Amino acid sequence: MGKRLKVINDYSEVGKLKRADLFGIIFVAILPFFLLFGNTYIFFGVSFIGLFINWIIQKREKKLYEKDKPYLYSQYIVATFTVYFLILISSFFLVFKLQLLVNIMLVLTLYIYLFLVVALIYYFFNCLYVLELKRVFPFEGSNKSDYSPSMRELSRYIDLDTQKKYFTIVLIEISVYIVLSAFALGLFLKNLHVLNFEPLPFIGSWVENQTYLTTFNLVSLFSVTFAIYTITFPWKNRVKFKATEAKKEKDSSYF
């Protein structure tokens, strides 16, 4: 067990985090479940606790993770702040009994919350990946390199046409993710009654009438998304690799 933890600590994205921050990102993902109790005071309590923890994590991010920052970590912090800020707004709407606005805020909150879930799932499978990787390849050669310049640094080594293609592909990936996550959220709201939980008024009645919100269509949409990503990810990696090699070659010419 200790050997596996060492592998995770040395090679995974989770291993880049300090223990306090790891517990913090897990806690802020679990905390919104208290909203199911539906009490106004709970709404205020959850929002203030979440925003306070988010503030602490932000302060630590600036001090501890300037160079070796885990993948999706900055986005996770921004999404966390947005989630709890929307919950805080919902709390004020609850006080004034503006139920429609509360429902709209909660749907937006749930939609952004999906990103937190996706990020945690990514970290989990990344740990499994590195464990299996180091089981198959327990050692590595001496040419290990952590050199990974940002796309901003590499932009001068990428021609304008390629930059346009790269940016367009990024926009396509974001659009596909938004469509997939919105579809999944709609299907979830449509089937809340299975969990013995009454769907949100206004939003719940609308999604229940959408016949295209089915599990089969969700699986089909996920398959299309996966197919698109299997094409775009390798192409983006090739562009970055070529630009990185060009940068290394130019940097070496100075010496």
Side-chain angles (χ1 to χ4, degrees):
M1 186 67 178
K3 185 178 180 181
R4 292 180 178 179
L5 289 177
K6 187 177 186 307
V7 169
I8 291 174
N9 184 68
D10 292 343
Y11 296 97
S12 72
E13 295 297 318
V14 172
K16 298 177 183 179
L17 289 172
K18 305 299 181 183
R19 186 171 299 179
D21 298 309
L22 177 59
F23 288 138
I25 66 172
I26 293 175
F27 182 75
V28 294
I30 296 174
L31 188 60
F33 282 97
F34 287 96
L35 298 180
L36 295 176
F37 294 100
N39 187 289
T40 305
Y41 297 106
I42 291 177
F43 268 69
F44 273 110
V46 166
S47 61
F48 281 119
I49 293 173
L51 287 172
F52 178 71
I53 295 175
N54 178 267
W55 176 75
I56 294 176
I57 293 176
Q58 282 191 51
K59 300 287 283 187
R60 290 174 60 85
E61 180 200 15
K62 294 177 181 178
K63 293 181 180 179
L64 302 176
Y65 305 105
E66 290 184 4
K67 296 182 179 179
D68 199 17
K69 188 180 299 183
Y71 181 63
L72 294 180
Y73 189 59
S74 297
Q75 296 91 325
Y76 191 97
I77 294 175
V78 173
T80 302
F81 172 80
T82 307
V83 163
Y84 287 103
F85 183 72
L86 291 175
I87 293 174
L88 181 62
I89 295 175
S90 301
S91 305
F92 287 104
F93 289 152
L94 270 177
V95 171
F96 296 102
K97 302 185 184 303
L98 302 173
Q99 191 61 46
L100 176 60
L101 294 178
V102 172
N103 292 338
I104 294 174
M105 288 296 105
L106 289 181
V107 169
L108 291 174
T109 300
L110 186 57
Y111 180 77
I112 299 173
Y113 180 78
L114 285 176
F115 177 82
L116 306 185
V117 175
V118 170
L120 289 180
I121 292 174
Y122 167 79
Y123 288 142
F124 173 75
F125 279 103
N126 178 253
C127 290
L128 295 182
Y129 172 80
V130 297
L131 285 173
E132 184 63 17
L133 174 70
K134 300 316 294 179
R135 186 188 69 81
V136 178
F137 301 102
F139 308 102
E140 64 265 0
S142 58
N143 61 342
K144 179 182 177 183
S145 176
D146 294 326
Y147 183 74
S148 182
S150 66
M151 292 305 296
R152 182 182 293 273
E153 295 178 72
L154 297 175
S155 61
R156 66 181 61 191
Y157 305 99
I158 304 173
D159 61 86
L160 182 60
D161 286 339
T162 304
Q163 290 179 4
K164 290 178 180 179
K165 293 176 184 177
Y166 192 99
F167 186 64
T168 301
I169 285 176
V170 170
L171 292 179
I172 291 173
E173 289 178 343
I174 293 173
S175 301
V176 168
Y177 170 78
I178 291 174
V179 171
L180 177 64
S181 55
F183 193 97
L185 176 59
L187 184 62
F188 173 76
L189 293 175
K190 185 178 181 178
N191 292 282
L192 276 178
H193 63 277
V194 177
L195 304 175
N196 295 321
F197 188 78
E198 288 298 323
L200 298 171
F202 177 70
I203 300 296
S205 59
W206 181 81
V207 296
E208 285 180 352
N209 295 324
Q210 308 308 307
T211 56
Y212 60 86
L213 291 174
T214 63
T215 304
F216 176 80
N217 288 340
L218 177 62
V219 173
S220 301
L221 187 58
F222 177 81
S223 300
V224 172
T225 302
F226 184 77
I228 292 174
Y229 279 23
T230 55
I231 296 173
T232 59
F233 270 49
W235 186 85
K236 287 165 54 183
N237 287 335
R238 284 196 299 272
V239 171
K240 187 171 183 179
F241 176 78
K242 290 180 181 179
T244 302
E245 291 300 306
K247 185 177 188 303
K248 286 182 179 180
E249 185 178 345
K250 186 173 183 179
D251 290 344
S252 63
S253 65
Y254 290 123
F255 300 98

CSV table of all heavy atoms in Angstrom, one decimal, residues 212-235:
chain,number,residue,atom,x,y,z
A,212,TYR,N,-36.6,13.5,-26.4
A,212,TYR,CA,-35.3,13.2,-26.9
A,212,TYR,C,-34.3,12.9,-25.7
A,212,TYR,O,-33.2,12.4,-25.9
A,212,TYR,CB,-34.7,14.2,-27.8
A,212,TYR,CG,-34.6,15.6,-27.2
A,212,TYR,CD1,-33.5,15.9,-26.5
A,212,TYR,CD2,-35.6,16.5,-27.3
A,212,TYR,CE1,-33.3,17.2,-25.9
A,212,TYR,CE2,-35.5,17.8,-26.8
A,212,TYR,CZ,-34.4,18.1,-26.1
A,212,TYR,OH,-34.2,19.4,-25.5
A,213,LEU,N,-34.7,13.3,-24.5
A,213,LEU,CA,-33.8,13.1,-23.3
A,213,LEU,C,-33.9,11.7,-22.9
A,213,LEU,O,-34.6,11.3,-22.0
A,213,LEU,CB,-34.1,14.1,-22.2
A,213,LEU,CG,-33.9,15.6,-22.5
A,213,LEU,CD1,-34.4,16.4,-21.3
A,213,LEU,CD2,-32.4,15.8,-22.6
A,214,THR,N,-33.1,10.8,-23.5
A,214,THR,CA,-33.1,9.4,-23.2
A,214,THR,C,-31.6,8.9,-22.9
A,214,THR,O,-30.7,9.6,-23.4
A,214,THR,CB,-33.7,8.5,-24.3
A,214,THR,OG1,-32.9,8.7,-25.5
A,214,THR,CG2,-35.1,9.0,-24.6
A,215,THR,N,-31.5,7.8,-22.2
A,215,THR,CA,-30.2,7.2,-22.0
A,215,THR,C,-29.5,6.8,-23.3
A,215,THR,O,-28.3,7.0,-23.4
A,215,THR,CB,-30.3,6.0,-21.0
A,215,THR,OG1,-31.0,6.4,-19.8
A,215,THR,CG2,-28.9,5.5,-20.7
A,216,PHE,N,-30.3,6.3,-24.2
A,216,PHE,CA,-29.7,5.9,-25.5
A,216,PHE,C,-29.1,7.0,-26.2
A,216,PHE,O,-28.0,7.0,-26.8
A,216,PHE,CB,-30.8,5.2,-26.4
A,216,PHE,CG,-30.4,4.8,-27.7
A,216,PHE,CD1,-29.6,3.7,-27.9
A,216,PHE,CD2,-30.6,5.7,-28.8
A,216,PHE,CE1,-29.2,3.3,-29.2
A,216,PHE,CE2,-30.2,5.3,-30.1
A,216,PHE,CZ,-29.5,4.2,-30.3
A,217,ASN,N,-29.8,8.2,-26.3
A,217,ASN,CA,-29.3,9.4,-26.9
A,217,ASN,C,-28.1,9.9,-26.2
A,217,ASN,O,-27.1,10.4,-26.9
A,217,ASN,CB,-30.4,10.4,-27.0
A,217,ASN,CG,-31.4,10.1,-28.1
A,217,ASN,OD1,-31.2,9.3,-28.9
A,217,ASN,ND2,-32.6,10.7,-27.9
A,218,LEU,N,-28.0,9.8,-24.9
A,218,LEU,CA,-26.9,10.3,-24.1
A,218,LEU,C,-25.6,9.4,-24.5
A,218,LEU,O,-24.6,10.0,-24.7
A,218,LEU,CB,-27.2,10.2,-22.6
A,218,LEU,CG,-26.0,10.6,-21.7
A,218,LEU,CD1,-25.6,12.0,-21.9
A,218,LEU,CD2,-26.3,10.3,-20.2
A,219,VAL,N,-25.8,8.1,-24.5
A,219,VAL,CA,-24.7,7.2,-24.9
A,219,VAL,C,-24.2,7.5,-26.3
A,219,VAL,O,-23.0,7.6,-26.6
A,219,VAL,CB,-25.1,5.7,-24.8
A,219,VAL,CG1,-24.0,4.8,-25.3
A,219,VAL,CG2,-25.4,5.4,-23.3
A,220,SER,N,-25.2,7.8,-27.2
A,220,SER,CA,-24.8,8.1,-28.6
A,220,SER,C,-24.1,9.4,-28.7
A,220,SER,O,-23.0,9.5,-29.4
A,220,SER,CB,-26.1,8.2,-29.5
A,220,SER,OG,-26.8,7.0,-29.5
A,221,LEU,N,-24.5,10.4,-27.9
A,221,LEU,CA,-23.8,11.7,-27.9
A,221,LEU,C,-22.4,11.6,-27.3
A,221,LEU,O,-21.5,12.2,-27.8
A,221,LEU,CB,-24.7,12.7,-27.1
A,221,LEU,CG,-24.2,14.2,-27.1
A,221,LEU,CD1,-24.1,14.7,-28.5
A,221,LEU,CD2,-25.2,15.0,-26.3
A,222,PHE,N,-22.3,10.7,-26.3
A,222,PHE,CA,-21.0,10.5,-25.6
A,222,PHE,C,-20.1,9.8,-26.6
A,222,PHE,O,-18.9,10.2,-26.7
A,222,PHE,CB,-21.2,9.6,-24.4
A,222,PHE,CG,-19.9,9.3,-23.7
A,222,PHE,CD1,-19.2,10.2,-22.9
A,222,PHE,CD2,-19.2,8.1,-24.0
A,222,PHE,CE1,-18.0,9.9,-22.3
A,222,PHE,CE2,-18.0,7.7,-23.4
A,222,PHE,CZ,-17.4,8.6,-22.6
A,223,SER,N,-20.6,8.9,-27.4
A,223,SER,CA,-19.8,8.2,-28.4
A,223,SER,C,-19.3,9.2,-29.5
A,223,SER,O,-18.1,9.1,-29.9
A,223,SER,CB,-20.6,7.1,-29.1
A,223,SER,OG,-21.0,6.1,-28.2
A,224,VAL,N,-20.1,10.1,-29.9
A,224,VAL,CA,-19.7,11.1,-30.9
A,224,VAL,C,-18.7,12.0,-30.3
A,224,VAL,O,-17.7,12.3,-31.0
A,224,VAL,CB,-21.0,11.9,-31.4
A,224,VAL,CG1,-20.5,13.1,-32.2
A,224,VAL,CG2,-21.9,11.0,-32.1
A,225,THR,N,-18.9,12.4,-29.0
A,225,THR,CA,-17.9,13.3,-28.4
A,225,THR,C,-16.5,12.6,-28.2
A,225,THR,O,-15.5,13.2,-28.5
A,225,THR,CB,-18.4,13.6,-26.9
A,225,THR,OG1,-19.7,14.3,-27.0
A,225,THR,CG2,-17.4,14.5,-26.2
A,226,PHE,N,-16.6,11.3,-27.9
A,226,PHE,CA,-15.3,10.5,-27.7
A,226,PHE,C,-14.6,10.4,-29.1
A,226,PHE,O,-13.4,10.6,-29.2
A,226,PHE,CB,-15.6,9.1,-27.2
A,226,PHE,CG,-14.4,8.3,-26.9
A,226,PHE,CD1,-13.6,8.5,-25.8
A,226,PHE,CD2,-14.1,7.3,-27.8
A,226,PHE,CE1,-12.5,7.8,-25.6
A,226,PHE,CE2,-12.9,6.5,-27.6
A,226,PHE,CZ,-12.2,6.7,-26.5
A,227,ALA,N,-15.4,10.2,-30.1
A,227,ALA,CA,-14.8,10.1,-31.5
A,227,ALA,C,-14.2,11.4,-31.9
A,227,ALA,O,-13.1,11.4,-32.5
A,227,ALA,CB,-15.9,9.7,-32.5
A,228,ILE,N,-14.8,12.5,-31.6
A,228,ILE,CA,-14.3,13.9,-31.9
A,228,ILE,C,-13.0,14.1,-31.2
A,228,ILE,O,-11.9,14.6,-31.7
A,228,ILE,CB,-15.3,15.0,-31.6
A,228,ILE,CG1,-16.5,14.9,-32.6
A,228,ILE,CG2,-14.6,16.4,-31.7
A,228,ILE,CD1,-17.6,15.8,-32.3
A,229,TYR,N,-13.0,13.8,-29.9
A,229,TYR,CA,-11.8,14.0,-29.0
A,229,TYR,C,-10.6,13.1,-29.5
A,229,TYR,O,-9.4,13.5,-29.3
A,229,TYR,CB,-12.1,13.8,-27.6
A,229,TYR,CG,-12.8,14.9,-26.9
A,229,TYR,CD1,-13.5,15.9,-27.6
A,229,TYR,CD2,-12.7,15.1,-25.5
A,229,TYR,CE1,-14.1,17.0,-27.0
A,229,TYR,CE2,-13.3,16.2,-24.9
A,229,TYR,CZ,-14.0,17.1,-25.7
A,229,TYR,OH,-14.6,18.2,-25.1
A,230,THR,N,-10.9,11.9,-29.9
A,230,THR,CA,-9.8,11.0,-30.4
A,230,THR,C,-9.1,11.6,-31.6
A,230,THR,O,-8.0,11.2,-31.9
A,230,THR,CB,-10.3,9.6,-30.7
A,230,THR,OG1,-11.4,9.7,-31.6
A,230,THR,CG2,-10.8,8.9,-29.4
A,231,ILE,N,-9.8,12.5,-32.3
A,231,ILE,CA,-9.2,13.1,-33.5
A,231,ILE,C,-8.5,14.4,-33.1
A,231,ILE,O,-7.3,14.7,-33.5
A,231,ILE,CB,-10.2,13.4,-34.6
A,231,ILE,CG1,-10.9,12.1,-35.1
A,231,ILE,CG2,-9.7,14.2,-35.7
A,231,ILE,CD1,-12.0,12.3,-36.0
A,232,THR,N,-9.1,15.2,-32.3
A,232,THR,CA,-8.6,16.5,-32.0
A,232,THR,C,-7.4,16.5,-31.0
A,232,THR,O,-6.4,17.2,-31.2
A,232,THR,CB,-9.7,17.4,-31.4
A,232,THR,OG1,-10.2,16.8,-30.2
A,232,THR,CG2,-10.8,17.6,-32.4
A,233,PHE,N,-7.4,15.6,-30.0
A,233,PHE,CA,-6.4,15.6,-29.0
A,233,PHE,C,-5.0,15.2,-29.7
A,233,PHE,O,-4.0,15.9,-29.4
A,233,PHE,CB,-6.7,14.6,-27.9
A,233,PHE,CG,-7.4,15.2,-26.8
A,233,PHE,CD1,-8.6,16.0,-27.0
A,233,PHE,CD2,-7.0,15.0,-25.5
A,233,PHE,CE1,-9.2,16.6,-26.0
A,233,PHE,CE2,-7.7,15.6,-24.4
A,233,PHE,CZ,-8.8,16.4,-24.7
A,234,PRO,N,-4.9,14.1,-30.5
A,234,PRO,CA,-3.6,13.8,-31.1
A,234,PRO,C,-3.1,14.9,-32.0
A,234,PRO,O,-1.9,15.2,-32.1
A,234,PRO,CB,-3.9,12.5,-31.9
A,234,PRO,CG,-5.1,11.9,-31.2
A,234,PRO,CD,-5.9,13.1,-30.8
A,235,TRP,N,-4.0,15.6,-32.8
A,235,TRP,CA,-3.6,16.7,-33.6
A,235,TRP,C,-3.1,17.8,-32.8
A,235,TRP,O,-2.0,18.4,-33.2
A,235,TRP,CB,-4.8,17.1,-34.5
A,235,TRP,CG,-4.4,18.2,-35.5
A,235,TRP,CD1,-3.9,17.9,-36.8
A,235,TRP,CD2,-4.5,19.6,-35.4
A,235,TRP,NE1,-3.7,19.1,-37.4
A,235,TRP,CE2,-4.0,20.2,-36.6
A,235,TRP,CE3,-4.8,20.4,-34.3
A,235,TRP,CZ2,-3.9,21.5,-36.8
A,235,TRP,CZ3,-4.7,21.8,-34.5
A,235,TRP,CH2,-4.3,22.3,-35.7
